[in-house]
């Protein structure tokens, strides 16, 4: 029997799936010591989307928060992630900025980097892996599982075999973001990926959207994969990961040893339960098995995002039509893997097709960039009629003929300020200036956020954080407020 190692996803993918990335350093610090001493192989902490939410919606300086968490968890290897060619948003980011992002994460104590690219730009992924290695980080590229006529076992096998030949890899991650790896497919897919990886260890990062992530972890362990991603029970299940508690128990019942001290888990789970109650966030509950998940392949939270967008048009009753359109759009766009950014790109296009009652009457710039091939090779054939529609307009032709610019770091500094720190330069390049200004104006981030606040107090706090206006009037039920700065 093997020793099973755990990578904690409570602070990154767990809260991303259930809380919309609203976890702040002040939520983490009260239980940082318990997490630090639990014995995780790695604690996955952050990524560029988390940075964006911290700046734009929480007014927290994410670099300051990262430093505080790192200081509070001296025994843990902290992980962050990046797309190979994108930081914040759904488009293409200049290589100079992606490289600076990786180096600056390392400077702030991130010891492990996972790299993903749903189009599998392997040369670009390998380049970023080299940047991370040079910065002293352990590197783990991820293979994103997907169902489609394109994504066969042979397709994934070629990718894993290529990655296994890179220098300096710590592991390769087998990822199932939408939770669509069936138990039957897992029994063939996992051993083939293991054989393709050779001597490079594998990690399993399977979401529990249909409840099968937990089952597939057992299959993986039987096939010799000994590193699993889980979240503490409060932040597990549903669109999130399998729970640490259940996975520990399952592995022990199979006769495996586990490299985690589970005596620390109740404290962490209860703390985040209190945070969820105070902030109005969800806690994870096991999900029923639904075939629709395998057809739409939307990762956690995307269905809710589409529903919220439909509400802005007063068309929430069209959600079923949008979800059906998602399947069609994905096929027409060449079957991209349904994870960031393509779950968003496909989902938004499907919604626009339904709302406007004219398919592809509106095509966002981000989709035009993808269709033009600027983000990487299309996995499958794109519908020729879609390509004709996309590039028949002046805007489409312009994007097709003009790849996203690749300014050097020196050119970026000349535009944004020669004296800016690396940290501030990244924030100002990647996010709207007024949001960054408001973040700095907010001052030091809170290191402990009360969990015994009333709903009305939380509502007022969120109002203040959501706007830079000098005055605001708002009403919630029978409570009205007037705020002035």
């Amino acid at each position: 029997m093997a020793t099973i190692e755990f990578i904690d996803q409570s602070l990154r993918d767990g809260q991303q799936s259930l809380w919309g990335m609203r976890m702040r350093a002040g939520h983490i610090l009260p239980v940082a010591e318990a997490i630090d001493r639990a014995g995780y192989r790695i604690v996955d902490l952050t990524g560029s989307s988390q940075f964006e939410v911290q700046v734009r919606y929480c007014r927290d300086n994410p670099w300051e928060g990262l430093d505080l968490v790192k200081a509070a968890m001296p025994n843990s290897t902290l992980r962050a992630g990046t797309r190979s060619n994108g930081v914040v948003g759904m488009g293409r980011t200049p290589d100079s900025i992606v490289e600076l992002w990786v180096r600056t994460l390392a400077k702030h104590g991130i010891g492990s980097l996972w790299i993903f690219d749903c189009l599998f730009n392997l040369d670009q992924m390998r380049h970023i892996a080299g940047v991370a290695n040079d910065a002293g980080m352990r590197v783990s590229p991820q293979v994103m599982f997907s169902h489609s006529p394109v994504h066969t076992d042979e397709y994934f096998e070629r990718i894993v075999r290529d990655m296994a030949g890179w220098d300096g890899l710590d592991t390769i991650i087998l990822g199932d973001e939408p939770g669509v790896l069936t138990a039957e497919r897992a029994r063939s897919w996992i051993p083939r990926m293991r054989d393709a990886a050779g001597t490079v260890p594998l990690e399993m990062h399977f979401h529990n959207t249909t409840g099968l992530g937990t089952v597939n972890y057992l299959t993986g362990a039987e096939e010799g994969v000994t590193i699993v991603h889980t979240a503490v029970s409060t932040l597990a299940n549903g669109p999130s990961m399998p729970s640490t508690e259940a996975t520990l128990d399952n592995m022990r019942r199979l006769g495996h040893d586990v490299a985690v001290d589970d005596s620390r888990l109740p404290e962490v789970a209860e703390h985040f339960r209190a945070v969820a109650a105070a902030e109005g966030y969800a806690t994870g509950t096991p999900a029923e098995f639904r075939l629709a998940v395998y057809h739409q392949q939307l990762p956690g939270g995307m269905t809710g995002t589409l529903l919220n967008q439909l509400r802005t048009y007063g068309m929430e009753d069209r959600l079923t039509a949008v979800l059906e359109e998602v399947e069609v759009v994905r096929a027409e766009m060449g079957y991209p893997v349904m994870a960031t950014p393509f779950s968003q790109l496909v989902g938004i296009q499907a919604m626009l097709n339904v709302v406007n009652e004219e398919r592809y009457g509106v095509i966002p710039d981000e989709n035009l960039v993808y269709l033009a091939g600027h983000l990487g090779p299309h996995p499958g054939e794109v519908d020729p009629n879609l390509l004709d529609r996309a590039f028949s307009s002046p805007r489409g032709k312009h994007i097709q003929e003009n790849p996203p610019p690749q300014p050097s770091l020196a050119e970026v500094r000349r535009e944004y300020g020669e004296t800016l720190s690396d940290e501030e330069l990244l924030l100002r390049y990647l996010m709207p200036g007024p949001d960054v200004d408001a973040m700095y104006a907010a001052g030091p981030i809170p290191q402990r956020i009360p969990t015994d606040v009333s709903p009305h107090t939380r509502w007022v706090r969120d109002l203040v954080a959501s706007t830079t206006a000098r005055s605001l009037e708002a009403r919630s039920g029978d409570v009205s407020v007037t705020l002035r700065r």
Side-chain angles (χ1 to χ4, degrees):
M1 292 292 109
T3 297
I4 307 299
E5 296 181 281
F6 286 70
I7 292 180
D8 180 54
Q9 287 289 349
S10 306
L11 311 183
R12 209 275 301 169
D13 211 346
Q15 64 98 4
Q16 178 172 330
S17 298
L18 294 169
W19 292 5
M21 296 177 282
R22 293 308 199 267
M23 185 179 287
R24 305 166 66 183
H27 293 138
I28 298 170
L29 292 173
V31 288
E33 189 269 342
I35 297 170
D36 188 47
R37 295 189 177 278
Y40 292 109
R41 175 186 172 95
I42 288 170
V43 175
D44 199 349
L45 178 63
T46 195
S48 67
S49 295
Q50 282 81 4
F51 267 51
E52 181 181 23
V53 170
Q54 295 307 301
V55 171
R56 302 190 67 182
Y57 303 106
C58 303
R59 304 306 188 202
D60 284 354
N61 185 330
W63 297 113
E64 180 188 351
L66 174 54
D67 290 344
L68 288 168
V69 173
K70 175 60 181 175
M73 301 176 66
N75 302 301
S76 297
T77 297
L78 300 183
R79 173 177 281 178
T82 189
R83 279 169 53 208
S84 74
N85 58 7
V87 183
V88 177
M90 295 180 286
R92 177 75 188 259
T93 304
D95 292 348
S96 59
I97 294 296
V98 179
E99 294 164 7
L100 181 63
W101 163 248
V102 171
R103 292 194 299 269
T104 309
L105 286 170
K107 183 170 69 174
H108 284 265
I110 293 295
S112 171
L113 187 76
W114 69 282
I115 305 167
F116 69 101
D117 187 321
C118 295
L119 301 182
F120 298 112
N121 293 281
L122 294 177
D123 288 344
Q124 180 70 8
M125 294 179 75
R126 186 172 188 168
H127 169 70
I128 296 302
V131 173
N133 279 146
D134 290 345
M137 301 165 111
R138 295 156 60 179
V139 176
S140 298
Q142 179 159 322
V143 179
M144 318 286 270
F145 179 80
S146 182
H147 278 299
S148 84
V150 174
H151 296 98
T152 63
D153 285 359
E154 292 78 14
Y155 174 93
F156 289 116
E157 205 170 32
R158 288 193 296 272
I159 291 168
V160 171
R161 188 172 290 111
D162 189 298
M163 289 176 173
W166 301 355
D167 292 333
L169 289 193
D170 184 39
T171 60
I172 295 171
I173 304 170
L174 304 182
D176 178 20
E177 304 297 327
V180 295
L181 179 62
T182 64
E184 181 180 12
R185 181 80 179 271
R187 285 191 288 271
S188 67
W189 189 69
I190 293 174
R192 290 186 70 164
M193 299 308 104
R194 177 205 60 207
D195 293 345
T199 60
V200 180
L202 296 178
E203 303 176 16
M204 293 184 288
H205 177 99
F206 300 161
H207 283 244
N208 220 22
T209 316
T210 62
L212 290 182
T214 303
V215 176
N216 292 338
Y217 279 176
L218 302 182
T219 299
E222 291 171 359
E223 296 295 340
V225 183
T226 60
I227 306 170
V228 296
H229 292 221
T230 60
V232 71
S233 58
T234 316
L235 290 162
N237 291 312
S240 180
M241 322 295 300
S243 76
T244 308
E245 293 89 335
T247 305
L248 278 165
D249 183 65
N250 288 340
M251 294 300 177
R252 283 173 172 153
R253 290 177 186 275
L254 288 180
H256 298 297
D257 293 325
V258 294
V260 170
D261 177 8
D262 51 350
S263 70
R264 309 308 300 259
L265 301 182
E267 174 188 351
V268 179
E270 185 53 40
H271 169 73
F272 287 128
R273 191 182 312 280
V275 172
E279 301 286 358
Y281 299 155
T283 54
T285 55
E288 290 185 297
F289 181 87
R290 296 181 67 242
L291 285 174
V293 173
Y294 295 89
H295 295 160
Q296 296 147 9
Q297 301 193 52
L298 290 173
M302 190 63 203
T303 300
T305 298
L306 291 174
L307 180 59
N308 288 336
Q309 290 172 335
L310 284 169
R311 285 196 181 107
T312 66
Y313 296 97
M315 300 177 68
E316 54 265 44
D317 60 317
R318 303 298 303 279
L319 179 62
T320 298
V322 170
L323 295 178
E324 291 172 352
E325 180 70 2
V326 163
E327 300 176 44
V328 179
V329 169
R330 181 179 182 238
E332 291 172 340
M333 289 179 64
Y335 294 105
V337 173
M338 292 295 276
T340 300
F342 296 101
S343 55
Q344 293 92 332
L345 297 183
V346 171
I348 289 169
Q349 187 65 65
M351 186 194 68
L352 290 171
N353 287 357
V354 170
V355 167
N356 293 317
E357 298 185 351
E358 179 187 3
R359 302 191 72 244
Y360 301 111
V362 176
I363 303 177
D365 283 359
E366 293 85 356
N367 279 350
L368 293 171
V369 170
Y370 162 72
L371 293 170
H374 298 324
L375 294 182
H378 302 143
E381 182 181 358
V382 177
D383 185 272
N385 293 324
L386 171 55
L387 292 175
D388 289 344
R389 187 70 180 265
F391 301 123
S392 62
S393 69
R395 180 63 179 167
K397 288 178 182 177
H398 175 79
I399 288 177
Q400 185 180 34
E401 296 169 359
N402 294 275
Q406 286 285 349
S408 68
L409 191 56
E411 290 171 324
V412 173
R413 286 197 178 281
R414 280 196 293 272
E415 179 179 355
Y416 284 84
E418 298 280 1
T419 62
L420 292 181
S421 66
D422 291 342
E423 291 80 359
E424 185 172 356
L425 180 67
L426 285 165
L427 297 182
R428 293 197 177 278
Y429 184 89
L430 296 167
M431 301 174 208
D435 287 327
V436 179
D437 292 339
M439 179 209 77
Y440 280 118
I445 68 174
Q447 297 189 30
R448 183 176 294 270
I449 299 172
T451 58
D452 56 349
V453 299
S454 70
H456 286 137
T457 301
R458 183 174 66 246
W459 172 63
V460 172
R461 187 179 65 206
D462 291 345
L463 280 175
V464 173
S466 67
T467 181
T468 58
R470 296 189 64 82
S471 63
L472 175 69
E473 294 184 4
R475 175 179 292 275
S476 175
D478 59 353
V479 176
S480 62
V481 296
T482 300
L483 303 174
R484 292 187 177 86
R485 296 184 187 274

